[in-house]
């Protein structure tokens, strides 16, 4: 199994260019099976999850051509030949459930293996299913699979108990071909939802309000849907991770192809820590040549502080002056990195959903395991400031979501390499 080997580093310096957003490209790829016409998606990131989504789309009958050099993917789903997402693919990537909405909308039927719990929580899909039911689908759960069927989908008002990103996306995609108007209330407001709505509108859907808590979808007929060419937004979590990489190494980075508006809570927290941030059009400069101060963080749905940045900030705060409190409210079990960080010499304590993070901890290199994507990123950041050598295993989690991570880090001075064990 490949590993990352990281040596203690000085300040990271230079320029780094952000890739397209993982959490935008996955739903948009899934959405392209709503239409029989060709969809070309540009600015795609090179990720394991994108490869899994390609396999999944091919398995339902789409023709998929991917060109990582041009950062482009084209998807044509002339006819849907299979209505089932198998266990082998769903267990590799939870976001496989995003094909439910478009397949149900286009064919009136879909069957997918139920995603189980994962390292960050139980992650049920009840809100997705309630949404499909409200539009007229019947749901059956059997032998670990969930099947949704609908003779006719009819628009309705759907109030989400929680502004779930996946449920908002799945229901929005399902409602594209439903009859009449669907309203999603308490919808997720993430930039990835807006990117998906823009893509859907570009193939002929009629969606308003994406990016607010109320989204209205006016159903259209299949014949109104066309093909499109759509560029993916930059990855705000990759942006945040590199911003923290600059801060944790007391470095100076120019982060290019970044949308400052999408990382407002990250900018605000880094400024509270005493890190200098300057925003120019499409670039963010992060300068951290002074000590970093402690701060408190509570994760929340967008536009609150993102849960996907909680682990990376925890690494930063182990080096801050003072003690910080982090409260994780989005996922119930997103603290698996704490055990690993403590093995590297921090002394973080968990109290329910809160973590108490003492600062000025001298981290030491150790053999650690990436338990999930963002936990893995936090360990890479820890490796950059830990004395000696850090060896990270299970790095496939990291490669699911960071495009050319080792290459990008190396170019700004990090001593990181990937080795085959
Ligand atoms: N939830 C339910 N029922 C549902 C759906 C969600 O209880 O039917 C709960 C979840 O268990 C969780 C909370 O609601 O506690 C939030 O889940 P949400 O549905 O918003 O998350 P998701 O769609 O499964 C996406 C991202 C995650 C990111 C979350 C929150 C994608 C492919 N994944 O997941 O990304 O953490 O939103 O922002 O978009 C990552 O990139 O590392 C990652 C995990």
């Amino acid at each position: 199994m490949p590993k990352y080997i990281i040596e203690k580093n000085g300040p990271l310096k230079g320029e780094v260019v952000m890739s397209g957003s993982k959490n935008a490209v996955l739903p948009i790829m899934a959405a392209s099976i709503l239409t029989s016409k060709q969809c070309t998606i540009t600015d795609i990131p090179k990720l394991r999850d994108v490869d899994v989504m390609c396999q999944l789309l091919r398995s339902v009958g789409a023709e998929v051509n991917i060109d990582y050099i041009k950062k482009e993917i084209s998807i044509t789903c002339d006819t849907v030949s299979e209505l089932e997402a198998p266990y082998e693919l769903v267990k590799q990537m939870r976001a496989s459930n995003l094909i439910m909405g478009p397949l149900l909308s286009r064919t009136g039927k879909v069957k997918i293996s139920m995603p189980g719990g994962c390292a960050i929580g139980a992650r049920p899909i009840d809100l997705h299913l309630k949404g499909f039911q409200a539009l007229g689908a019947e749901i059956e759960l059997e032998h670990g699979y969930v099947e949704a069927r609908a003779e006719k989908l009819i628009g309705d008002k759907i109030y989400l108990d929680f502004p779930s990103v996946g449920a908002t996306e799945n229901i929005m995609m399902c409602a594209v071909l439903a009859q009449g108007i669907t309203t999603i209330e308490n919808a997720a407001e993430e930039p990835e939802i807006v990117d998906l709505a823009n893509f859907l509108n570009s193939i002929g859907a009629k969606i308003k309000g994406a990016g607010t808590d109320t989204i209205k979808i006016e159903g259209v007929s299949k014949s109104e849907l066309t093909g499109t060419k759509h560029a993916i937004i930059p990855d705000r979590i990759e942006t945040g991770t590199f911003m923290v990489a600059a801060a944790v190494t007391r470095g100076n980075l120019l982060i290019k192809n970044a949308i400052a508006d999408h990382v407002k809570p990250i900018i605000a927290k880094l400024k509270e820590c005493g890190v200098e941030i300057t925003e120019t059009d499409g670039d963010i400069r992060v300068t951290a040549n002074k000590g970093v101060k402690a701060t408190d963080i509570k994760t929340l749905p967008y536009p609150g502080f993102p849960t996907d940045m909680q682990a990376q900030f925890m690494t930063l705060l182990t080096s801050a002056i003072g003690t910080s409190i982090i409260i994780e409210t989005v996922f119930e079990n997103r603290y698996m990195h704490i055990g690993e960080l403590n093995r590297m010499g921090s002394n973080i304590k968990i109290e329910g959903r809160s973590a108490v993070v003492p600062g000025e901890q001298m981290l030491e290199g150790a053999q650690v395991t990436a338990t999930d994507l963002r936990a893995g990123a936090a360990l890479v950041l820890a490796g950059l400031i830990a004395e000696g050598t850090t060896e990270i295993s299970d790095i496939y989690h990291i490669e699911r979501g960071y495009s050319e991570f080792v290459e990008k880090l190396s170019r700004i001075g990090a001593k990181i390499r990937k080795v085959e064990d």
Side-chain angles (χ1 to χ4, degrees), residues 22-23 123-127 164-166 308 330-331 334 374:
K22 165 178 89 80
N23 291 345
R123 301 183 78 180
I125 55 163
D126 55 316
L127 301 175
S164 153
V165 174
D308 292 345
V330 179
F331 289 105
R334 206 169 195 181
R374 309 303 171 186

Side-chain angles (χ1 to χ4, degrees), residues 33-108:
I33 55 174
L34 272 166
T35 173
S36 58
K37 305 290 185 325
Q38 179 174 307
C39 297
T40 303
I41 308 165
T42 64
D43 294 354
I44 59 155
K46 187 173 182 198
L47 299 173
R48 280 174 62 105
D49 274 8
V50 169
D51 294 333
V52 177
M53 186 56 91
C54 285
Q55 281 182 54
L56 188 59
L57 298 184
R58 287 190 186 110
S59 78
V60 299
E63 191 191 318
V64 182
N65 291 305
I66 189 156
D67 183 337
Y68 276 128
I69 295 173
K70 284 167 80 182
K71 298 184 187 160
E72 237 180 64
I73 189 165
S74 69
I75 300 166
T76 313
C77 194
D78 197 13
T79 46
V80 176
S81 57
E82 185 60 57
L83 297 166
E84 198 172 310
Y87 178 62
E88 290 69 40
L89 290 176
V90 178
K91 79 172 179 199
Q92 284 182 55
M93 184 184 69
R94 295 185 58 83
S96 303
N97 68 45
L98 291 169
I99 67 160
M100 288 192 84
L103 272 186
L104 181 59
S105 195
R106 180 160 169 182
T107 68

Side-chain angles (χ1 to χ4, degrees), residues 22-24 26-27 49 93-95 97-98 118 120-130 162-169 188 190 192 235-237 300-302 306-308 329-332 334 353 372-374 400-402:
K22 165 178 89 80
N23 291 345
L26 296 174
D49 274 8
M93 184 184 69
R94 295 185 58 83
N97 68 45
L98 291 169
C118 74
I120 62 175
R123 301 183 78 180
I125 55 163
D126 55 316
L127 301 175
H128 306 225
L129 301 182
K130 272 193 208 167
F162 182 88
S164 153
V165 174
T168 303
E169 292 168 343
E190 271 71 359
E192 294 78 18
D235 196 308
R236 65 193 165 98
I237 304 302
L300 287 168
Y302 192 86
T307 169
D308 292 345
T329 75
V330 179
F331 289 105
E332 70 278 17
R334 206 169 195 181
R353 289 201 160 200
D372 76 86
L373 167 57
R374 309 303 171 186
R400 280 189 35 226
Y402 286 94

Side-chain angles (χ1 to χ4, degrees), residues 102-416:
L103 272 186
L104 181 59
S105 195
R106 180 160 169 182
T107 68
K109 192 179 159 202
V110 60
K111 184 172 174 183
I112 107 158
S113 168
M114 278 289 276
C118 74
I120 62 175
R123 301 183 78 180
I125 55 163
D126 55 316
L127 301 175
H128 306 225
L129 301 182
K130 272 193 208 167
F132 299 150
Q133 273 171 325
L135 298 180
E138 278 177 28
I139 308 286
E140 257 181 57
L141 303 175
E142 228 178 46
H143 303 296
Y145 276 76
V146 53
E147 191 170 328
R149 284 167 184 271
E151 296 227 327
K152 198 188 224 175
L153 291 163
I154 298 175
D156 200 353
K157 219 175 217 186
I158 298 161
Y159 179 88
L160 295 179
D161 297 341
F162 182 88
S164 153
V165 174
T168 303
E169 292 168 343
N170 242 336
I171 297 167
M172 198 159 83
M173 292 187 280
C174 188
V176 165
L177 295 171
Q179 230 175 58
I181 293 183
T182 301
T183 308
I184 311 175
E185 292 178 328
N186 199 26
E189 298 174 35
E190 271 71 359
E192 294 78 18
I193 306 278
V194 178
D195 207 21
L196 174 62
N198 287 342
F199 168 85
L200 289 168
N201 284 339
S202 77
I203 62 168
K206 290 189 179 154
I207 301 175
K208 285 192 181 140
T212 75
D213 66 358
T214 307
I215 302 178
K216 274 198 165 52
I217 306 115
E218 189 184 331
V220 296
S221 65
K222 278 183 195 167
S223 61
E224 287 175 82
L225 294 187
T226 60
T228 191
K229 187 165 185 172
H230 177 89
I232 297 293
I233 54 169
D235 196 308
R236 65 193 165 98
I237 304 302
E238 185 192 28
T239 305
T241 304
F242 276 93
M243 290 171 77
V244 174
V248 79
T249 61
R250 310 297 186 257
N252 182 344
L253 285 181
L254 183 66
I255 300 171
K256 300 185 80 86
N257 189 35
I259 300 180
D261 217 36
H262 292 175
V263 288
K264 270 189 196 160
I266 301 167
I267 292 178
K269 280 295 152 190
L270 285 174
K271 282 187 173 169
E272 263 180 53
C273 292
V275 176
E276 270 177 49
I277 314 272
T278 37
E279 301 164 28
T280 48
D281 201 19
D283 297 340
I284 302 174
R285 180 169 294 280
V286 185
T287 315
N289 38 27
K290 292 184 250 139
V292 166
K293 290 177 280 184
T295 188
D296 296 334
I297 288 173
K298 187 175 185 178
T299 67
L300 287 168
Y302 192 86
F305 187 91
T307 169
D308 292 345
M309 282 302 302
Q310 179 257 106
Q312 302 89 315
F313 258 79
M314 194 174 284
T315 297
L316 173 66
L317 295 174
T318 63
S319 73
I321 301 159
T323 297
S324 308
I325 308 281
I326 295 184
I327 307 175
E328 172 59 60
T329 75
V330 179
F331 289 105
E332 70 278 17
N333 185 28
R334 206 169 195 181
Y335 281 146
M336 300 283 277
H337 44 284
I338 291 182
E340 300 302 283
L341 286 174
N342 284 349
R343 293 185 55 246
M344 294 178 74
S346 65
N347 187 20
I348 304 163
K349 295 205 164 62
I350 307 176
E351 191 55 55
R353 289 201 160 200
S354 305
V356 181
V357 189
E360 295 177 275
Q361 306 283 296
M362 297 303 288
L363 300 186
E364 288 173 2
Q367 289 176 317
V368 287
T369 304
T371 48
D372 76 86
L373 167 57
R374 309 303 171 186
L379 294 177
V380 170
L381 298 176
L384 295 175
I385 53 166
E387 271 318 317
T389 307
T390 300
E391 219 180 276
I392 307 180
S393 54
D394 289 3
I395 57 167
Y396 60 90
H397 285 298
I398 303 175
E399 295 183 345
R400 280 189 35 226
Y402 286 94
S403 190
E404 302 174 291
F405 203 30
V406 170
E407 292 84 347
K408 285 183 185 178
L409 282 167
S410 304
R411 270 185 241 129
I412 49 174
K415 294 181 202 134
I416 178 169

